[in-house]
Structures are given as structure tokens and as C-alpha cells.
Amino acid sequence: MASQAKVKTARFDAAKYHGLDREALIRIYRTMFLSRKIDDREIQLKRQNKIYFQISGAGHEAVLVAAALVLKPSYDWFYPYYRDRALALMLGVTPYEMLLQGVGAKDDPASGGRQMPSHWGHQKLNIVSRSSPTGTQFLQAVGAAEASLYYQQFPKALEQARKAPLGDAVASHRDEIVYVSGGDGATSEGEFAESLNTASNRRLPVLYLIEDNGYAISVPVEVQTAGGSISKLVANYPHLHIEECDGTEPLESYAALSRGVAHCRARKGPALVHAHVTRPYSHSLSDDEKLYRTSEERESEARRDPVPKFGLFLVREGILEERELEAIEAEAEREIVEATDRALKAELPAKNSIYEWVYSPDVDPTGPQFGVAPKLDGEPKTMVEMVSATLMDEMARDERIVVFGEDIADCSREEYLSSVKGKGGVFKATSGLQRRFGSARVFNSPLAEAGIVGRAIGMATRGLKPVPEIQFFDYIWPAMMQLRDELAVMRWRSAGKFKSPAVIRVPIGGYLTGGAIYHSQCGEVTFTHIPGLRVVMPSTALDVCGLLRTAIRSDDPVLFLEHKHLYRQPYNRSEYPGADFTIPFGKARVVREGTDISIITYGAVVHRAEVAAAELAREGVSVEILDLRTLSPYEWEAIAATVRNTNRVIVAYEDTRSWGYGAEIAARIADELFDELDAPIRRVAATDTFCAYQPQLEDVILPQTEDIVRAVRDLAAY
């Protein structure tokens, strides 16, 4: 491919090449060429319908091989994006492994056939499973870097993490750093700004590589980024070291990245390298860049193509002769042909493997080991007091646990602690935790819900057990991408190589008198719809303790919903059940036995059902009440038992009636227990509106005791 030759000089001067020796320079070229040719082979295979998707790293190779040279596989941690093929190759991912991804083979180390090609992941190399959403990786990298510093401060936590499931993959080194990359387009996502804010504020060892090829699919950089330069936009972040380089030049990139890495390893804070690269191919095979780029622009870009440019450089510098360059290229192409032939014959995943890795295969939170009886002692505690007491015990037991969120600390300014009472959350659920365990384990976060959950995912992937709080369920939606596409999916998409068993605590629900639209909503059905996520919603202080402890000791991500109205109610208080009390998930509680009608419910509606049942008993109607307690999983056997017992069923829940959680329960009863019914299934739920501020309106909107009484009477008379 090169057209000029030069006789090699007798003496090689590494100082000319930033200390890189001849072998390193040749390796750079070979990896760049190999990366480009794998892209080309995948494009060919896609056109032959032998693989099903292709997205290339063409034009990005130079800066990526440079990044791999200054970083350490199986030592540092990597959150690459889909263009980072050359980085992955340089770190140790083989062409064969990449092509296994393309065909979706069983032994694909990234996902076992579950993700598209170029969604990198390699447990042995510390390449954390990558997903398709743009920008989500930045926050997870921040959480991973927080784990790096945490393990240095709490070595016992590292020991405990190594003893947990997947503990063999847990590691920490004194000067390790976390690499995260993305295109310029990804920096427009809010998660990028949230990540930079925390990384700079906490001086975290995160190396950001922004690979700016001038386009986010078809949107040019001047439309995507104000001023057209992300490095200029972030120039005033404190402790952030910034480098800008020509990412098509491996040596210039190596020098810039070396300085950035040194800044991070010295624990001075994060670094951002803004590399200007090219994109000689369309965004992916589903895109045609000729629709929005002129031929003149594409020709200009071609002249900056890093692969032929660096090959010519090696020949001109006398590092390689042209025939040696051609021999390297021929050997790389042979390797790709052999890898392709092997990959196309590779075993595909078994069809029933789709059910593997949805949840932890190591810890079953529904199992009998979590059925530990209470040892009641002390004065009765409210639900919110029980949250604090349970966290106290679990944090003392497990040094991996960190608690954070908005306003959850006693006081961020530690020097004030001796003179102030302390906050401890807007509901006081985390009061006293910071005083006891310190600010490294209990701390306030910025007001950024995606940041809270994304950081928790990164921490949990590294072996910690984060228990963050989202202050109000009504404000959880900025974190939805992290919850739905990252937290719940990590284990499944990586075929069990990575996991994120964080416990996300969330106050939820209405009946507040004045909570209105943004402090009173439910919506739990949105999350029970997500495979891989456990959803819990207790109705008593005792259940809060047992279920929260199970959530923390399980190995799955859990959304732990705490009803705000129930936090301080006297009717659901309990003595403390002891530090080992647990309740299995998927185990309902029979609140009241009856013979005429069953009410299946959960959360704040449980007590309203109890009041209704007491009133109906005076009329001679015997009501049985079943509190589900956990919504995913739920106990079908208990539901079936109560239906067979009474033959008449009401499903009562606080969420909106249409498309609500109760619809699933009602539908399954109708589907599987139709012959047991003596009457239609009834639903009692909120109106299909939002929750209003005015108390009289709220009373009409949310299900009340009288609504349940009326429904029972109607059903009894059927």
C-alpha cells in the first residue's frame, strides 16, 4: 500500500518517537491495519448475510492503539464505545473473539450472542460490558473510579467483594485508572456533564477519550456542540486535565494520552483527551453518508486516513521496508481469514439459554435461606426508623455498602456535625448513618438522578454494594435509561460475566394531603415490566426490615419502594426483629383470613383494605386480605390459594386503574383460575389521572376505604 521506500538507518533513536521502540511502532501499525481489515471483513460478511449488523471503528484506529499502549489490560478498567475495535485488539481481544460476536456465537466473550457486534466486553481484560445507549457509560465509569479509591481506603470491603459471587473478577490496584470513551455526539447527553461534574468534584482517576470524527451519524459537530469544540466547552472544570490532539497521528496521540494518564495515576483528578479523528465509512451499514456529505469532504477526509498515513510514515522513517510492510499486512489478512472460517463454524447459543443470567444463579432471594424468623426486642419502631436501623446493622456487617443520594447525609460539611442536628434524608430514613460510618460511606450526591443510579452501577460492577436513594419516585425518570438499559440488563447482556446488584431505595406514593402531581404518584408497574430487576413494596415496618436486608444480601438489582404515607404510621410499627431477620422475595403475607371474598393488594392500600374488612365483618361479609409485599417476583401460589378459598377476588392498588399492576394479577387469575371463580374479577385503583394537590380531589383520585367496601358489596351481591 505504501509507495515509497527508504533504507533503514543503522541506529534507531526511540527519543524521536516518544520513547517507543521499533517493535512498538510496528505493533501500532499492525493493530491499526488489523482493525481496519476486520471492519472490512465484517462488512463483507454482512452483505453475505452471514452476520447481522456492522459498525466500524475505521478512522479511529491511531488514537485507540495509543490509548492501549499507555493503559494496562487486566489492571485498569475500560468502558469503551462501539468504535473502539483497535483499543480492544491492542488490549488483547482476538480477531476470532470479535468475529464470534459478529455471528452471535455461544463462546463470544462479550455477550454469548446477546448483543450486537462491537459492543465490547471482556471480563479477563477488565473491559466492562458495553450497551447501545449513547453516553450511559460515562457515569458508570465514574462509579467504577469511586470504587478504585474506596478499596484503597477500605481493604476489608475488597476482601468481602472477593468472597461474593463473581469475586474472582474483583480486583483493585493502587494506581489503577478508569478509561471511558465516546464520540463527540455522546457529549451532548446529560450523563456526560453529570459524570464530569462528579469526576472533577471528587478528583476521580477517570480518563475520558472523546473521539471526534465531526459527525454524530449525520449531525455535524457545529450543530451538535456549541462552538464546535467539546474540549473548549469543559475547559473550566477544576482538576480536569485537558489535551487536544490529532487522533489520526499515533505518536501525537500517544504523547497526549501519556500526559492524561499520568495526571490520573497521580490522583490529581480526571483527564480528557479530545482527539480529532476521521470516519471514512458511514456511521454503520444502515447509514449512507453520501446523503449528507459531499464528495469533496469525503476526499479530504481520506487524505487523513490514519492507516495508510502511518504505514507510509514507517517506510519514510526507515523503520520498515515496503516489502516488510506488505508482509505484515499479508500475515494480518491470513489471521482474519482463519478467524473467520473458525467463527462461521462456531457453536451457536442453545435456544433455552435465553433464560440464563436474567437473575443471579448464585443467590436466590426467594429461597428458604432468607426465611429467618424475627427476634423481637426493644420499643416499637416506625417504618422509617426501621429503614435506618436495618441499614445501620447491614453497614456494620458489610463494608462494601455505600449509601448516597440527595440530602441523605447528616451534613456534608463535616466541621458542622458537632453543632447541627443533621439532615439524614428528607424523611430522616438515613439519619445518623454518616456520623457512625463516615463521609466515605455515606455522602450527598448532586441533584442528578441518572448520576446517582449510573454511579451505583459502576460501583456494583466493581464489587461494591451501593444502596443509593432517589428522593422521590416522581423524579426517578431522568434515571430511566440507567435503570432499564443498564442496571437490569448488565448480567444478561454479558452472559453472566458482569453484574450490578445495587439496591435503589425510593419513597413512593400518595395519601399525603398536598403532595400533588410530583410528590404523590405511583408507577411501579413500569419497573415490574423489566426482566432482571426485583421490585419490592412493603406495607409494615417489620416487612421493611426483613425485605431490605434480603435486598442487600441478594445478588440482583433491587428497586426498593418505601411508601411515604406509611413511614410514620402507628398501626404498622414493630419491635426490631434482630440483625439476621430476612424475608424471602416472592412470599406474600396473609393479613387477614376470610371465606367470602379475597382482596389482593400491597403498599398503602393494605391498611385501607383492613379497615374495609373490619367494617364488612359487621355486615357478615368475611374478607381475606393478601399483601403481596414483593411485586417482582410475586407469589402466585398464595394468590391461587386465596382464589380457591373464596372464589371471588378484588385486586386493589394505588396506581392508575388502566394498564396498572393489578391488571397482570387479574389477567393471570382469569387465564389460569377461571374455573375457580364465582364472579368477575374486580379492580379498585386510582383514577386514570394524575394526583391533585387539593385534598378533596386527592380523595377522589386515590382508592379509599369506601371504594373497597363498595366493590366488596357489589361482588358479594353478584
Side-chain angles (χ1 to χ4, degrees), residues 681-702:
I681 305 164
R682 300 292 193 209
R683 283 175 291 157
V684 176
T687 58
D688 292 343
T689 67
F690 301 101
C691 190
Y693 167 74
Q694 222 295 321
Q696 289 187 92
L697 297 179
E698 183 189 70
D699 288 347
V700 175
I701 292 164
L702 299 182

Side-chain angles (χ1 to χ4, degrees), residues 77 105-115 121-124 127-130 164-170 349 353-363 460-461 486-501 532 555-557:
W77 290 82
K106 178 176 75 71
D107 293 330
D108 154 34
S111 74
R114 297 173 182 218
Q115 290 220 88
H122 204 293
Q123 186 190 68
K124 292 180 180 178
I127 303 173
V128 180
S129 173
R130 181 71 182 98
L166 280 185
D168 290 345
V170 175
S353 69
I354 60 172
Y355 300 106
E356 296 176 352
W357 312 113
V358 178
Y359 299 103
S360 171
D362 303 299
V363 181
T461 301
E486 304 294 337
L487 179 72
V489 189
M490 180 67 76
R491 188 192 305 273
W492 191 86
R493 78 180 190 217
S494 68
K497 302 298 194 303
F498 294 96
K499 61 176 183 175
S500 295
D555 198 38
D556 292 318

